[in-house]
Amino acid sequence: YCRVRVPEGLLKDLLPGPVTLVMERSEELNKDLNPFTPLVGIRIPDHAFMQDLAQMFEGPLALTSANLSSQASSLNVEEFQDLWPQLSLVIDGGQIGDGQSPECRLGSTVVDLSVPGKFGIIRPGCALESTTAILQQKYGLLPSHASYL
């Protein structure tokens, strides 16, 4: 679904986890998903329910967050009840995170890896420090000028 231009070890260091990796989309990706950009975000959550759901469907799932853009992330289904009437389906996979630490509400750290040798932080999210440390120290990637940093 995307063109991977980073070492396999980098993927294994960040996924599964609270990180979304943005890469160049491949021709195999349905053209109706993200039709106005050549990029796609890939995320493998470290959440057993989501991994089981993807296995049941035998492939990736195209999902959005259960909150409005720029609002804090929802940690359980009750927190986005106001959106239920607009949704076709709501599945309760249980609480996300510990619910106590503010980092739980920051969402995933979104990293643009579409430019070889560089990375850009699109959204700092909950794993910013650990993610940038891995990208810079272990893999020698440089922050791009468009980066959040």
Side-chain angles (χ1 to χ4, degrees), residues 102-118:
E103 291 82 23
C104 288
R105 298 208 179 265
L106 295 176
S108 66
T109 297
V110 181
V111 183
D112 183 345
L113 294 174
S114 63
V115 177
K118 296 189 177 189

Side-chain angles (χ1 to χ4, degrees), residues 15 33 40 58 69 96 107 131 141:
L15 302 173
L33 298 173
V40 63
E58 299 179 348
S69 187
I96 297 173
T131 300
L141 299 183

